[in-house]
Amino acid sequence: MVTTAAGSFGPLVSAGPALVWVVVLVFVFIECAVILGLFLPGDSMLITAGIVLANHASGAGHVWALSVGAMIAAVCGNQVGYVIGHRTGNRIHARKGGKYLNYANLHKVNVLLEKHGFWAVLVARWIPWIRTLCPLVAGAAKMNHTKYTIASTIGAIFWAPVLLLIGFYFGSFLDRVSWLMPAVLAGMVTLLVIGTALGVWHYRQEMARPPEDVAVEEVLD
């Protein structure tokens, strides 16, 4: 059963938690696995998903289950990103003049991994563009796979569930004010859709730039 306040935002709410599951798992996996994730609004998507679930009578059960699902999607995405980077040898295909996929950013991530290793992977989970580049660079830099996996898994345990639960409990608070929930939810979903569309457009622009091979220094244990 959907609350009265949420009822005024019918189409999204009536789609049910299934749509939220699909969007969250796909977004999280992509953001942690491939370059497209650099341009997607992952953090705001998780918070918005939590708010949407707060509108459903079964939302509490779904948000906890989805937290586990999102954590698994993040871990799997990180493993895919690592494998992709590992298969590039020690060179990553960047873009000349790119906004994110450029020499400067790849070098910054490489230096972070060289200096801080395990802790760099752990903290990278909370920094959007580094979150996506870290698996790629870690794989290309031949970082110890076990150490990388442990760090990325611990990060995933806290990242996705924390943001989903923040959204859910914030949504539960908003639901007490009949007019506030639909307004906030509509605004956040609109921004998320626009942000995703702009992200895909920026990704296409980035990939259209001339390629540039960036050498990655090996991360020693």
Side-chain angles (χ1 to χ4, degrees):
M1 181 176 178
V2 179
T3 63
T4 304
S8 59
F9 201 64
L12 177 64
V13 174
S14 62
L19 177 62
V20 177
W21 272 80
V22 171
V23 171
V24 168
L25 296 183
V26 170
F27 264 63
V28 168
F29 180 82
I30 290 176
E31 189 170 17
C32 296
V34 294
I35 296 302
L36 174 59
L38 285 169
F39 305 90
L40 297 180
D43 291 343
S44 58
M45 177 276 301
L46 287 169
I47 293 174
T48 301
I51 294 175
V52 172
L53 289 176
N55 284 278
H56 293 266
S58 60
H62 275 286
V63 76
W64 285 103
L66 182 55
S67 293
V68 175
M71 178 191 72
I72 294 172
V75 172
C76 292
N78 283 152
Q79 291 301 313
V80 170
Y82 183 95
V83 170
I84 291 173
H86 194 272
R87 290 183 175 178
T88 65
N90 70 330
R91 307 187 74 85
I92 296 177
H93 301 300
R95 290 294 184 268
K96 292 181 179 179
K99 184 176 181 181
Y100 294 111
L101 191 60
N102 54 47
Y103 170 81
N105 284 345
L106 289 171
H107 181 67
K108 287 177 183 177
V109 176
N110 199 179
V111 170
L112 282 173
L113 291 174
E114 286 180 317
K115 290 184 176 181
H116 306 290
F118 179 95
W119 295 106
V121 176
L122 196 63
V123 174
R125 179 70 64 181
W126 297 91
I127 307 173
W129 66 271
I130 295 182
R131 179 166 60 237
T132 302
L133 291 180
C134 184
L136 184 68
V137 176
K142 308 299 185 290
M143 181 179 179
N144 181 280
H145 189 230
T146 300
K147 182 182 293 186
Y148 167 81
T149 299
I150 293 172
S152 64
T153 300
I154 293 173
I157 290 173
F158 291 98
W159 173 62
V162 165
L163 293 180
L164 277 169
L165 291 170
I166 286 174
F168 179 79
Y169 288 110
F170 179 60
S172 299
F173 171 76
L174 291 177
D175 205 28
R176 299 174 186 175
V177 184
S178 60
W179 62 269
L180 189 56
M181 170 60 87
V184 172
L185 188 56
M188 292 195 70
V189 171
T190 299
L191 290 175
L192 182 62
V193 171
I194 293 174
T196 301
L198 287 176
V200 172
W201 182 78
H202 285 305
Y203 168 76
R204 292 172 62 87
Q205 294 290 104
E206 189 101 338
M207 292 299 104
R209 294 178 180 275
E212 176 184 25
D213 282 346
V214 176
V216 177
E217 297 294 330
E218 187 172 339
V219 173
L220 301 176
D221 295 334

